[in-house]
Amino acid sequence: MTEKFTVHTHDTAPVESRKQLEQVAKGFGMIPNLAGVLAEAPAALEAYFTVGRIFDGTSFTPAERQVVLLAVSTENGCEYCVAAHTAIAGMQKVPAEAVHAIRDRNPISDPKLEALRRLTTAVVAKRGRLNEEDLERFHAAGYGKRQLLEVIVGVGMKTISNYVNHIAGTPLDAAFEKAAWTQPVGAGSL
């Protein structure tokens, strides 16, 4: 049974979370329900958005970052994050084909984005215990050690939100409803 969590607003959040919520609201034009739930623990709220800012500073393009975040969320079966990042990916001009492929657990037609998706999914599914084939395919697509480590930053960021959403049962924001996603029954890895 899911423990009942409050989706905090600026006014109901602990005082220590309010400044961070103000920054989130400025950046998103709203306080997403995930941020409202995370606000219960100021350290969790700060950790998630700090790692997110760090991930935004990686060598990945916005489209590549969304591929990583969607792949992690799909592999972890996080319905909230898949919907949210589908909407964000649309705003960042990620090819719709790539977004749908990730959501449906199908290959992406762009070989470089597909290599990134496969590597990210392998990191999550194998808990970082990659084999030579995983790494060779990633490197053959033009990625290096730097990008491998940056994928792990994205995995860390999304693991925070995926797990919080699983535990809290975070309700989907109206802004993301058109991108709603349900974990397919019996969905497997890779």
Side-chain angles (χ1 to χ4, degrees):
M1 183 172 165
T2 302
E3 184 175 345
K4 182 71 174 157
F5 278 79
T6 300
V7 179
H8 285 287
T9 65
H10 181 271
D11 295 333
T12 66
V15 172
E16 302 88 355
S17 292
R18 291 181 183 174
K19 183 176 181 180
Q20 180 74 44
L21 286 179
E22 288 171 11
Q23 292 173 344
V24 169
K26 285 179 187 173
F28 285 88
M30 62 181 229
I31 297 175
N33 290 338
L34 169 61
V37 170
L38 285 167
E40 183 72 30
L45 180 67
E46 183 178 2
Y48 178 71
F49 285 100
T50 298
V51 175
R53 283 189 296 277
I54 292 167
F55 188 60
D56 283 345
T58 64
S59 64
F60 291 126
T61 66
E64 289 170 321
R65 288 194 302 269
Q66 289 306 313
V67 166
V68 170
L69 301 177
L70 274 165
V72 174
S73 298
T74 301
E75 184 62 26
N76 281 331
C78 184
E79 295 177 359
Y80 181 95
C81 286
V82 171
H85 285 285
T86 296
I88 294 166
M91 290 181 240
Q92 294 187 346
K93 308 288 190 253
V94 178
E97 178 274 329
V99 173
H100 292 298
I102 297 168
R103 288 170 56 104
D104 296 340
R105 295 178 176 261
N106 291 323
I108 300 170
S109 63
D110 178 308
K112 188 167 186 181
L113 292 180
E114 174 58 10
L116 180 58
R117 181 200 69 82
R118 285 186 63 90
L119 185 280
T120 302
T121 301
V123 167
V124 176
K126 297 177 180 182
R127 291 166 179 63
R129 291 180 176 88
L130 302 175
N131 60 40
E132 284 303 313
E133 183 182 328
D134 296 324
L135 296 171
E136 286 172 9
R137 189 173 29 246
F138 188 65
H139 294 305
Y143 294 112
K145 293 175 185 172
R146 175 180 178 169
Q147 288 77 33
L148 175 59
L149 295 174
E150 290 173 345
V151 164
I152 295 169
V153 174
V155 170
M157 174 197 172
K158 279 293 93 182
T159 300
I160 292 169
S161 61
N162 292 170
Y163 287 10
V164 166
N165 290 324
H166 292 183
I167 292 167
T170 308
L172 193 59
D173 301 85
F176 307 140
E177 285 178 358
K178 289 182 181 178
W181 177 82
T182 303
Q183 168 81 0
V185 176
S189 300
L190 302 174

